């Protein structure tokens, strides 16, 4: 015990923890009362602000007329164009001043920067920084190579680390977009934009930094975070605070050498020896299991509070910065998704793509993930659209990077369809990442790591980052939360931390990478109270590790069916025009592929399948399915100038290309031949008995003082003249009554319009809230009611309701003659025009009280149905008070049911005896004018005997695929019979197209050109049961394969049998809800 004194002459106190904790902030804080008496004194050796001597800045504004389109190409000239013009002296660049405003919103300002390093700095070996803050988004461009170097986004990211220069001279351009990271919202980011915002130049500094002092700042920051965030009962917390206080005691603001001493002291007491290097992850404490995997990303919404045109620039800004950062931090790995974003980058900056980005992919630092064309909405797009998201995304990745992604990357997006697992598995993907369900506002999703099982039983290894964000700052607290909030750590101990600023914030920063090194160093030294953070492992390695440690996922909990998002339920309805155009686009391109495939197979060399044009149209459809665009949550300019015109053009172009096929057929069949319409749906010949048809099949209408009565021998329909609603729908054969206007909250009748008050807690375009369900008004102010149509083919009644002085609803309720050609029973078709919809925060729906009772209703989803509760038993049932559906919703009991079909709507609810179709919303943010104007909506009531059957599936298809194409009568059977389907009616022939790799097509998406002629046929089982059938074709079939969705992998070879001299038969066997793609190779 030598050295231990005998007597104590220097008593010590136990520090008062609260005071000693509060003190720490002073040490590194640039603000406060004492920055010059603390470490900030040393951050800069010297700093020169814009002086037009050492730091010279000039600016040039790209012309922008108020009220013009902010996305037209003249507003955003290419880098090459601007720099060449400037070098020719043609541009007017003026000297810039500090605090000078630049704008207005959405315009572009160019800056030229010339830096001259003071001669006394030249001997310093410190790396210099150019700091820039104009509060907008900017990118540094090398004038020699035209390559992007790094980027700025206001205060979030303001440093450009200057490369060494012998003569101390720098010259570069900055292209600045006059918008913030989150656009230009007025008052709040999600409010409509202020179109007249200006951005002030706050900072243009040349800095000689003191890197040791800045290093100490990070050391100290992490140390104090540990002292604040760790649990009170850990010695690690108490020691961290004590050491941090001792550092402050050691520090001398008059002695720069104390900076070094402080760093050494922290290292000795709390870090390991690798705290400053990438070795910290590979050399320190490698045996202990990791709790947190850090993965860099920069979630860029493809449009949201800014247009697509700005996203193209956000991509290059963000990814250029990341590639630069990768050179400095070898452990750094970054993931980016969305084929469309890569394609834009390739179009706008091919040199950067090929010479900078591709090498980073090859050296496994930059990872293209996701496999889809965009991070799409999964509620509203059709099944075929979801399949094509992966088809185009994966083929783009394969073409440019040589490999596809095996992870569906969808951190944001408002709910996840139950068919995603199957479609992913068919597209080479077996892993899934999301985070959004952490936003649920009713129930907390119970898993972090789990197997997600889809409608058909397909599963995806799924992970939700436990930190509940995809834009962590890599704070100590982010790491700690990721470990602490892991809900599945009895099965798997680690969670992903997705770090990096999103949406133009530019992704991870140097500071984040530095902080993570320190955090790992602290856990190497002090054990697992500080979660062990792993950086430098790929996202693939993270998922592989899950499989290794959970017996290939078998030990993980499962979640069956859709991942319903308990939030943002308004997105099934907001921006109605967008959704309607999406429905039409999907149908038109289906028709185009149907006709063009048949023409190109029948007439080989004479008609060329326009594959590249079709693919271009698909790219646009898929782009508009981005998770803010189709859901209706973007600002107005996205719809006005980009998405709506884009889809209108898709429809127009499809029609032009269809006209070409049709006129080609006309030529082949002889122009003078009589033409006959062909439909593009192919159904099994109906097995229905048609004995009912012997009864009166004409449509009739009669009238008395109270009711109009419509009939057609099968159905009788009464319309109440006072209420303007349908009060009775009876089956004339069985006497069954389908409506229930005596019970429940709506006793007024069917086709009753209702206005719900729609003031959510926040997020207007996104949300409709539970309390709205009970705050409503029936619309019953009838302006006019009369017979609109009365002939033997169809009868109808038109009712006009007044909503306000200028806003009206005109609704026409019709019944057709029961026709012999119909394979299913009659339906009641309704056309509703909402004229001059101009309300504020009202939600228009239409109700149908029905004589049905069941615990569940069925809703069409992609290639199948989703069943959802019609009661409020549990909070999980309550959460589904508004749900998404596609072409139909069905409510049936054992003996009968009612389906509501629609041609452009997606929101629905069924509770008690009430079915309710959502029609229009009137949110005022972020688009102040969303949905204002006139809307045409078609829907139908389809009452049926028995429970939900293929009749509903078929009726809903027929209700949507309404287009007929006239071809010469001599050709119709040849066209229709080219490919037919037979067998069980629950098999639907959904889409046909040509094989992408058929060499004769010359597709830009072809990967391995094959000298063959092939047809791709997509079929699916629609209601959840095993099904057997066959495809028949008169063509000479060489081979048939069941293949994957990417048209690359063969699952099985199918034996074709020759059934007769007229056709070959291809057997189909589908499991419940199976989606299958058949490739039929035919003789040329
Ligand atoms: Zn997003």
């Amino acid at each position: 015990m030598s050295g231990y004194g005998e007597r104590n002459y220097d008593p010590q106190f136990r520090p008062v923890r609260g005071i000693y904790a509060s003190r720490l902030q002073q040490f590194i804080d640039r603000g406060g009362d004492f920055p010059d008496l603390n470490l900030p004194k040393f951050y800069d050796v010297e700093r020169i602000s814009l002086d037009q001597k050492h730091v010279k800045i000039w600016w040039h504004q790209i012309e922008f007329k108020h009220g013009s389109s902010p996305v037209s190409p003249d507003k955003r000239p290419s880098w090459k164009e601007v720099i060449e013009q400037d070098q020719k002296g043609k541009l007017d660049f003026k000297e810039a001043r500090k605090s000078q405003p630049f704008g207005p919103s959405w315009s572009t300002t160019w800056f030229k920067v010339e830096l001259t390093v003071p001669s006394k700095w030249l001997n310093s070996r410190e790396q210099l920084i150019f700091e820039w803050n104009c509060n907008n988004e900017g990118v540094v461009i090398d004038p020699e190579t035209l390559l992007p170097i790094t980027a700025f986004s206001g205060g979030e990211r303001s440093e450009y680390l200057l490369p060494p220069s012998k003569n101390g001279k720098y010259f570069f351009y900055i292209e600045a977009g006059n918008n913030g990271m989150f656009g230009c919202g007025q008052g709040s980011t999600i409010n409509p934009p202020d179109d007249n915002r200006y951005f002030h130049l706050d900072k243009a500094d040349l800095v000689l930094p003191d890197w040791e002092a800045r290093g100490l700042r990070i050391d100290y920051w992490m140390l104090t975070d540990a002292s604040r965030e760790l649990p009170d009962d850990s010695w690690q917390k108490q020691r961290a605070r004590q050491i941090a206080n001792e550092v402050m005691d050691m520090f001398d603001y008059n002695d720069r050498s104390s900076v070094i001493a402080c760093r050494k002291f922290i290292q000795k007491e709390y870090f390991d020896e690798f705290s400053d290097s990438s070795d910290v992850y590979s050399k320190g404490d490698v045996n202990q299991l990791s709790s947190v995997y850090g993965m860099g990303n920069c979630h860029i919404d493809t449009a949201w509070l800014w247009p697509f045109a700005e996203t193209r620039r956000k991509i290059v800004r963000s990814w250029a910065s990341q590639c630069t950062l990768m050179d400095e931090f070898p452990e750094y790995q970054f993931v980016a998704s969305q084929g469309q974003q890569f394609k834009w980058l390739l179009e706008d900056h091919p040199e950067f793509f090929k010479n900078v980005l591709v090498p980073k992919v090859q050296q496994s630092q930059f990872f293209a993930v996701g496999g889809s064309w965009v991070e799409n909405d999964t509620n509203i797009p059709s099944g075929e659209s979801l399949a094509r998201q992966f088809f185009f995304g994966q083929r783009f990745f394969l073409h440019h990077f040589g490999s596809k992604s095996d992870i569906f990357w969808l951190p944001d997006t408002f709910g996840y369809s139950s068919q995603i697992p199957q479609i992913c598995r068919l597209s080479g993907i077996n892993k899934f990442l999301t985070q959004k369900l952490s936003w649920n506002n009713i129930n907390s999703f119970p898993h972090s790591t789990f197997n997600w099982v889809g409608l058909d039983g397909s599963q995806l290894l799924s992970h939700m980052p436990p930190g509940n964000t995809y834009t962590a700052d890599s704070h100590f607290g982010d790491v700690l939360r990721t470990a602490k909030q892991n809900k599945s750590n009895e099965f798997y101990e680690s969670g992903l931390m997705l770090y990096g600023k999103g949406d133009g914030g530019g992704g991870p920063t140097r500071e984040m990478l530095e902080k993570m090194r320190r955090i790992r160093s602290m856990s190497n030294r002090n054990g697992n109270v500080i979660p062990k953070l792993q950086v430098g492992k790929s996202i693939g390695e993270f998922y592989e590790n899950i499989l290794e440690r959970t017996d290939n996922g078998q030990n993980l909990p499962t979640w069956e069916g859709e991942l319903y998002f308990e939030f943002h339920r308004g997105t099934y309805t907001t921006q109605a025009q967008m959704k309607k155009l999406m429905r039409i686009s999907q149908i038109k391109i289906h028709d185009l592929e149907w006709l063009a495939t048949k023409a190109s197979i029948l007439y080989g060399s004479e008609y060329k399948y326009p594959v590249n044009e079709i693919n271009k149209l698909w790219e646009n459809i898929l782009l508009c399915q981005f998770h803010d665009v189709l859901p209706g949550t973007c600002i107005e300019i996205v719809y006005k100038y980009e998405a709506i015109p884009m889809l209108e053009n898709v429809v127009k172009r499809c029609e032009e290309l269809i006209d070409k096929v049709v006129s080609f057929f006309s030529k082949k069949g002889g122009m003078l031949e009589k033409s006959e319409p062909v439909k593009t749906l192919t159904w099994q010949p109906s097995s229905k008995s048609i004995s009912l048809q012997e009864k009166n099949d004409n449509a009739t209408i009669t009238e008395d003082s109270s009711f109009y009565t419509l009939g057609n021998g099968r159905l009788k329909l009464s319309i109440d003249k006072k209420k303007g609603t349908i009060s009775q729908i009876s089956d004339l054969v069985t006497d069954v009554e389908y409506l229930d206007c005596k019970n429940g909250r709506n006793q007024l009748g069917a086709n009753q319009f209702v206005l719900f008050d729609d003031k959510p807690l926040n997020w207007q375009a996104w949300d409709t809230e539970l309390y709205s369900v009970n705050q409503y008004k029936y619309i019953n102010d009838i302006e006019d009611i009369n017979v609109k149509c009365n002939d033997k083919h169809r009868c109808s009644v038109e009712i006009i309701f007044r909503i306000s002085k200028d806003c009206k609803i005109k609704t026409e309720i019709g019944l057709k003659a029961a026709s012999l050609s119909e394979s299913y029973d009659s339906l009641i078709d309704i056309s509703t025009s909402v004229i001059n919809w101009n309300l504020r925060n009202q939600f228009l729906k239409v109700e149908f009280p029905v004589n049905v009772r069941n615990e569940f209703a069925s809703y069409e989803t992609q290639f199948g149905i989703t069943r959802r509760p019609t009661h409020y038993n549990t909070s999980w049932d309550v959460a589904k008070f508004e749900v998404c559906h596609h072409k139909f919703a069905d409510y049936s009991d054992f003996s009968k049911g009612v389906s509501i079909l629609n041609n452009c709507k997606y929101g629905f609810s069924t509770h008690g005896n009430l079915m309710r179709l959502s029609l229009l919303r009137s949110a005022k943010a972020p688009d102040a004018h969303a949905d204002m104007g006139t809307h045409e909506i078609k829907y139908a009531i389809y009452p049926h005997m028995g429970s939900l059957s293929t009749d509903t599936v078929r009726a809903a298809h027929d209700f949507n695929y309404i287009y007929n194409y006239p071809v010469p009568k001599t050709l119709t059977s040849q066209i229709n019979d080219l490919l037919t389907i037979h067998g069980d009616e629950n098999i639907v022939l959904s889409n046909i197209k040509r094989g992408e790799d058929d060499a004769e097509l010359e597709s830009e998406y072809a990967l391995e050109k094959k000298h063959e002629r092939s047809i791709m046929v997509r079929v699916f089982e629609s209601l959840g049961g095993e099904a057997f059938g066959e495809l028949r074709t008169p063509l000479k079939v060489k081979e048939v394969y069941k293949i994957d969705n990417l048209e690359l992998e063969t699952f099985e070879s199918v034996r074709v049998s020759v059934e007769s001299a007229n056709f070959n038969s291809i057997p189909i066997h589908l499991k419940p809800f199976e989606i299958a793609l058949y490739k039929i190779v035919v003789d040329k």
Side-chain angles (χ1 to χ4, degrees):
M1 293 293 266
S2 65
Y4 182 63
E6 190 177 327
R7 286 167 182 268
N8 190 322
Y9 300 98
D10 184 16
Q12 295 289 322
F13 52 87
R14 177 176 179 271
V16 178
R17 288 181 176 180
I19 294 170
Y20 275 62
S22 302
R23 172 198 187 198
L24 304 181
Q25 185 58 26
Q26 287 185 4
F27 187 58
I28 56 173
D29 191 2
R30 283 190 172 95
D33 293 335
F34 315 113
D36 51 329
L37 308 182
N38 273 298
L39 185 61
K41 182 183 175 188
F42 293 116
Y43 290 164
D44 300 340
V45 178
E46 213 176 331
R47 175 182 289 261
I48 303 168
S49 284
L50 173 57
D51 61 355
Q52 295 297 2
K53 184 177 165 218
H54 295 100
V55 180
K56 292 187 186 175
I57 315 273
W58 299 266
W59 66 283
H60 169 73
Q61 180 68 21
I62 304 294
E63 196 181 313
F64 189 99
K65 282 213 181 73
H66 257 299
S68 62
S69 162
V71 298
S72 58
D74 57 309
K75 310 284 176 22
R76 295 151 192 270
S78 75
W79 296 356
K80 189 158 176 259
E81 203 181 320
V82 172
I83 291 171
E84 273 179 8
Q85 291 256 333
D86 182 44
Q87 283 166 350
K88 287 181 192 154
K90 287 188 177 167
L91 298 182
D92 176 24
F93 270 89
K94 301 185 200 70
E95 276 193 9
R97 288 172 285 106
K98 236 176 141 178
S99 304
Q100 188 176 344
F102 299 97
S105 317
W106 314 121
S107 68
T108 298
T109 308
W110 276 76
F111 295 95
K112 272 199 290 200
V113 180
E114 192 185 284
L115 304 175
T116 308
V117 177
S119 49
K120 61 176 176 174
W121 292 13
L122 280 173
N123 295 329
S124 160
R125 301 237 296 277
E126 298 276 24
Q127 177 161 30
L128 305 180
I129 306 173
F130 174 64
E131 280 188 25
W132 172 266
N133 183 1
C134 193
N135 296 293
N136 53 14
E137 292 190 72
V139 59
V140 174
I141 302 157
D142 179 341
E144 302 295 317
T145 61
L146 296 187
L147 287 175
I149 297 165
T150 193
F152 308 111
S153 42
E156 298 286 343
R157 190 172 42 148
S158 58
E159 293 186 348
Y160 168 24
L161 261 58
L162 296 165
S165 153
K166 283 213 178 86
N167 63 2
K169 291 271 190 194
Y170 296 91
F171 176 72
F172 50 88
Y173 288 88
I174 297 171
E175 181 209 38
N178 287 310
N179 54 266
M181 235 172 97
F182 289 115
C184 302
Q186 197 155 25
S188 136
T189 52
I190 57 168
N191 278 351
D194 172 359
D195 286 334
N196 211 19
R197 190 160 146 195
Y198 282 77
F199 297 83
H200 295 258
L201 178 56
D202 283 349
K203 197 187 272 181
D205 295 356
L206 181 60
V207 185
L208 175 61
D210 181 336
W211 288 104
E212 282 292 342
R214 289 172 178 231
L216 176 56
R217 172 176 162 266
I218 307 267
D219 298 343
Y220 194 83
W221 182 2
M222 292 304 101
L223 183 68
T224 51
D225 276 5
S227 78
R228 190 183 61 248
E229 304 256 4
L230 287 175
D232 285 346
D233 59 3
S234 64
W235 63 260
Q236 288 89 341
K237 179 192 184 92
Q238 312 305 341
R239 277 299 291 154
R241 190 185 57 253
Q242 185 61 20
I243 293 163
N245 272 284
E246 286 171 30
V247 167
M248 285 184 79
D249 298 343
M250 281 173 74
F251 176 75
D252 179 352
Y253 59 84
N254 285 318
D255 177 8
R256 197 285 184 171
S257 72
S258 68
V259 168
I260 310 284
C262 290
R263 288 206 79 182
K264 283 190 177 150
F265 178 68
I266 297 176
Q267 179 127 37
K268 178 167 128 309
E269 294 293 326
Y270 211 77
F271 290 168
D272 74 350
E273 60 196 293
F274 309 112
S275 60
D276 237 346
S277 101
S278 62
D279 287 343
V280 75
Y281 301 110
S282 53
K283 295 196 172 149
D285 197 4
V286 288
N287 292 323
Q288 186 183 298
L289 294 170
S290 298
S291 301
V292 178
Y293 282 73
M295 183 53 59
N297 83 122
C298 70
H299 185 77
I300 303 176
D301 287 298
T302 299
W304 179 27
L305 303 171
W306 55 88
F308 291 139
E310 196 56 42
T311 304
R312 297 178 84 119
R313 309 204 291 192
K314 283 177 186 277
I315 294 162
V316 67
R317 290 179 202 130
S318 295
W319 295 358
S321 306
Q322 297 317 310
C323 289
T324 302
L325 207 55
M326 283 166 200
D327 293 332
E328 203 187 337
F329 294 85
E331 74 270 33
Y332 178 40
Q333 296 200 350
F334 174 80
V335 297
S337 62
Q338 317 196 54
Q340 174 70 82
Q341 296 197 356
F342 287 92
K343 185 167 182 195
W344 278 339
L345 186 73
L346 180 61
E347 284 170 359
D348 296 348
H349 305 287
E351 269 76 31
F352 173 71
F353 188 98
K354 287 177 198 143
N355 301 330
V356 181
L357 189 135
V358 170
K360 296 293 184 214
V361 173
Q362 286 161 346
Q363 71 204 38
S364 294
Q365 282 191 283
F366 195 118
F367 289 84
V369 297
S372 55
W373 188 245
V374 294
E375 285 187 15
N376 54 288
D377 178 68
T378 82
N379 287 318
I380 299 167
S382 69
E384 191 62 27
S385 283
L386 290 189
R388 302 293 176 105
Q389 283 286 349
F390 295 104
F391 179 83
F392 287 99
Q394 292 283 46
R395 278 189 171 244
F396 186 92
F397 284 178
L398 279 162
H399 182 75
H400 293 281
F401 306 127
S403 61
K404 52 185 193 269
S405 171
D406 62 358
I407 300 173
F408 186 24
W409 187 268
L410 207 57
D412 206 1
T413 298
F414 316 143
Y416 308 88
S417 154
S418 56
Q419 283 285 28
I420 292 289
Q422 182 177 195
I423 295 170
C424 281
R425 293 309 292 245
L426 291 170
S427 307
I429 289 172
N430 59 9
K431 304 176 179 96
F432 178 58
L433 179 133
T434 183
Q435 178 278 139
K436 199 71 182 182
L437 291 195
S438 68
W439 286 40
N440 274 3
N441 71 348
I442 298 184
N443 298 285
S444 167
F445 190 78
H447 312 300
S448 297
T449 309
F450 61 105
N451 293 311
W452 178 26
V453 181
L455 204 48
D456 72 317
S458 298
Q459 65 175 351
L460 294 177
L461 179 64
S462 302
H463 183 71
M464 295 198 194
N468 295 343
T469 179
Y470 43 84
T471 52
D473 284 324
S474 297
H475 289 317
F476 185 88
D478 291 317
V479 176
L480 204 63
R481 268 190 299 282
T482 300
K484 265 188 172 168
Q485 293 174 190
N486 191 329
K487 292 172 181 167
S488 309
N489 47 13
E490 58 267 73
F491 309 106
Y492 180 65
E493 60 284 340
S494 302
L496 266 183
M497 177 182 74
L498 299 179
Y499 66 93
K501 294 181 188 306
D503 284 332
T509 58
R510 296 186 73 255
E511 198 172 86
M512 293 179 197
L513 285 147
E514 292 279 359
K515 287 190 315 194
M516 289 190 294
R517 286 179 175 179
R518 305 301 196 283
I519 294 168
R520 172 58 184 265
S521 179
M522 293 193 299
S523 78
N524 286 345
R525 178 68 191 282
N526 301 299
N528 222 3
V529 169
I530 298 161
K532 181 173 166 185
L533 169 67
Q534 188 64 49
V535 174
K537 295 262 194 253
S538 71
I539 190 79
E541 286 173 280
F542 169 74
Y543 278 89
E544 283 310 313
N545 191 245
I546 301 177
L547 291 177
E548 273 169 35
R549 298 189 48 76
T550 59
D551 194 11
N552 277 318
Q554 287 194 71
N555 302 340
L556 291 173
T558 51
W559 182 269
E560 285 262 353
E562 69 176 325
L563 292 170
Y564 177 85
F565 184 38
E566 298 178 353
F567 213 36
H568 296 1
R569 300 163 185 89
T571 62
Y572 318 142
T573 306
T574 310
Q575 298 284 3
Q577 176 67 359
M578 188 67 206
K579 288 165 167 96
K580 186 174 182 178
L581 274 168
M582 182 54 72
R583 180 81 63 89
I584 298 171
S585 299
Q586 291 171 145
I587 290 167
K588 287 282 182 184
I589 202 163
H590 163 276
D591 291 359
L592 170 59
E593 288 182 329
W594 193 95
L595 288 160
T597 298
K598 292 194 170 185
S600 71
I601 292 291
L602 284 169
Y603 297 100
S605 51
E606 292 171 69
Y607 173 82
K608 191 167 182 198
Y609 187 81
V611 67
N612 290 319
E613 292 208 61
I614 291 174
N615 289 350
K616 184 76 214 139
L617 297 173
W618 264 118
E619 286 178 8
N620 286 339
I621 291 173
L622 300 177
L623 168 58
C624 288
Q625 292 170 355
F626 179 74
H627 67 250
D628 284 302
V629 178
L630 184 56
T633 50
C634 286
I635 54 171
E636 184 176 9
I637 57 175
V638 174
Y639 298 107
K640 185 171 170 185
Y641 295 110
E642 296 184 320
I644 297 277
M646 191 176 277
L647 288 187
E648 283 172 343
N649 184 60
V650 166
V651 173
K652 180 169 153 270
R653 242 351 249 156
C654 281
E655 284 170 349
E656 285 166 2
L657 291 168
I658 287 171
D659 285 348
K660 272 193 186 169
V661 193
V662 168
S663 64
F664 171 80
F665 279 133
S666 296
K667 268 186 222 134
K668 295 313 294 182
M671 296 289 228
L672 297 174
E673 281 295 328
K674 258 196 148 170
S675 69
E676 193 175 40
V678 296
K679 287 203 81 175
T680 59
L681 289 178
T682 309
W683 295 108
Q684 296 86 344
S686 176
S687 58
K688 276 241 153 49
S689 144
I690 52 167
S691 62
L692 286 175
Q693 313 292 330
E694 284 154 16
K695 295 180 84 172
N696 172 25
D697 71 350
N698 283 351
T700 59
I701 185 162
T702 56
E703 179 181 354
D704 62 22
S705 58
S706 307
F707 296 99
Y708 291 107
T709 304
L710 285 69
N712 68 355
R714 294 193 193 181
L715 285 184
K716 185 178 133 191
L717 168 71
S718 303
I719 297 171
D720 188 315
K721 285 183 163 176
K722 282 206 190 71
K723 295 175 184 158
T725 57
I726 306 169
S727 55
Q728 183 190 15
I729 301 174
S730 316
D731 191 311
L732 285 174
V733 181
T734 60
D735 278 343
V736 162
E737 174 55 42
Y738 289 100
L739 295 186
D740 176 5
C741 302
K742 294 194 186 77
N743 300 296
R745 87 183 206 183
N746 176 343
Q747 299 182 4
L748 298 167
N751 203 41
Q752 171 67 56
F753 297 97
V754 198
L755 279 177
F756 290 80
D757 214 64
D758 196 19
K759 305 192 294 281
L761 299 171
N762 197 1
W763 304 99
Q764 287 192 41
W766 289 259
D767 283 343
T768 185
E769 219 19 282
L770 188 55
Y771 48 73
S772 295
V773 173
N774 287 326
Q775 195 180 3
Y776 61 93
K777 264 200 316 257
Y778 287 118
I779 296 172
N780 48 23
D781 183 2
I782 297 179
E783 182 177 293
D784 197 10
I785 178 165
N786 55 51
V787 174
K788 170 92 178 187
C789 171
N790 181 6
D791 64 46
K792 62 179 183 181
H793 303 295
R794 185 170 175 272
C795 293
S796 72
V797 172
E798 185 180 83
I799 308 118
I800 299 173
F801 294 96
R802 254 184 309 260
I803 295 181
S804 68
K805 196 165 137 269
D806 332 301
C807 176
K808 288 174 188 178
I809 294 178
K810 191 159 77 179
T811 187
E812 183 189 349
I813 303 166
L815 184 68
K816 273 197 242 166
S819 146
L820 282 167
S821 64
E822 264 176 36
S823 60
Y824 43 83
D825 303 325
S826 289
L827 50 79
I828 297 140
D829 61 278
I830 302 172
S831 295
T832 293
S833 308
V834 183
I835 299 154
N836 193 24
W837 176 246
N838 61 359
L839 303 192
R840 181 167 165 228
N841 297 94
Q842 297 286 308
F843 196 159
L844 178 68
K845 304 183 187 182
V846 60
E847 291 188 345
F848 310 90
V850 294
N851 180 22
V852 176
R853 183 173 178 83
N854 194 330
E855 282 175 55
F856 293 94
S858 304
Y859 300 88
E860 193 194 30
T861 184
Q862 294 91 357
F863 301 127
I865 51 164
T866 302
R867 296 200 320 146
R868 300 189 182 99
T870 59
H871 53 75
Y872 300 119
N873 282 0
T874 69
S875 59
W876 294 85
D877 302 323
V878 172
K880 292 178 181 172
F881 65 88
E882 172 91 5
V883 297
C884 186
H885 77 312
H886 284 200
K887 299 188 290 294
F888 69 83
D890 181 83
Y891 193 26
S892 299
D893 55 29
F894 175 75
S895 56
K896 66 176 177 312
V898 175
S899 305
I900 304 294
L901 322 177
N902 76 81
N903 80 338
C904 60
K905 292 294 154 195
Y906 294 91
F908 210 94
S909 66
T910 307
H911 290 95
N913 71 346
L914 202 55
M915 301 179 82
R916 191 186 288 132
L917 175 67
S918 300
L919 299 180
L920 286 173
R921 300 187 69 221
S922 44
K924 299 300 171 198
D927 175 359
H929 307 109
D931 284 320
M932 298 296 96
T934 294
H935 299 264
E936 310 280 343
I937 307 155
K938 288 186 194 299
Y939 46 93
I941 306 170
Y942 174 52
H944 55 82
M945 293 308 295
S947 56
L948 170 63
S949 77
T950 54
D951 287 352
T952 292
V953 176
R954 193 160 167 170
H957 274 83
D958 285 342
F959 194 73
N960 279 271
Y961 291 76
I962 51 172
Y963 307 103
N964 294 313
Y965 303 102
V967 303
K969 228 173 171 170
T970 46
L971 296 184
T972 48
S973 62
Q974 199 185 4
I975 294 168
N976 285 329
D977 296 346
L978 189 72
L979 191 72
T980 56
I981 186 152
H982 303 262
D984 292 343
E985 291 183 5
N986 48 340
I987 303 174
V988 177
L989 195 165
S990 154
N991 288 70
I992 64 172
K993 69 185 280 286
R994 286 293 304 273
E996 202 67 31
D997 291 328
D998 286 5
E1000 64 183 23
L1001 304 189
E1002 299 173 275
S1003 164
E1004 284 161 19
Y1005 278 92
L1007 289 172
E1008 29 184 298
K1009 291 199 171 147
K1010 298 192 179 106
H1011 292 280
E1012 59 189 24
R1013 187 170 284 167
S1014 64
I1015 313 174
M1016 299 292 166
V1017 185
R1018 179 129 35 221
V1019 296
F1020 68 93
E1021 194 291 306
S1022 59
L1023 290 173
E1026 200 172 12
F1028 297 86
E1030 57 176 315
L1031 290 167
R1032 287 183 192 164
T1033 175
L1035 295 166
K1036 274 198 175 165
V1037 175
K1038 286 169 86 176
E1039 285 144 340
V1040 177
Y1041 303 101
K1042 198 172 179 182
I1043 60 167
D1044 72 346
N1045 176 46
L1046 308 181
E1047 300 179 17
L1048 294 172
E1049 195 191 328
T1050 297
F1051 297 140
E1052 61 181 88
S1053 172
V1054 181
R1055 244 192 62 209
V1056 182
S1057 55
V1058 184
E1059 293 283 319
S1060 78
N1062 297 332
F1063 61 85
N1064 294 299
S1065 165
I1066 299 157
I1068 293 173
H1069 172 203
L1070 298 180
K1071 297 192 288 291
F1073 292 120
E1074 182 178 350
I1075 308 159
L1077 189 63
Y1078 289 90
K1079 172 181 175 178
I1080 304 173
V1081 185
V1082 300
D1083 248 0
K1084 284 198 190 180

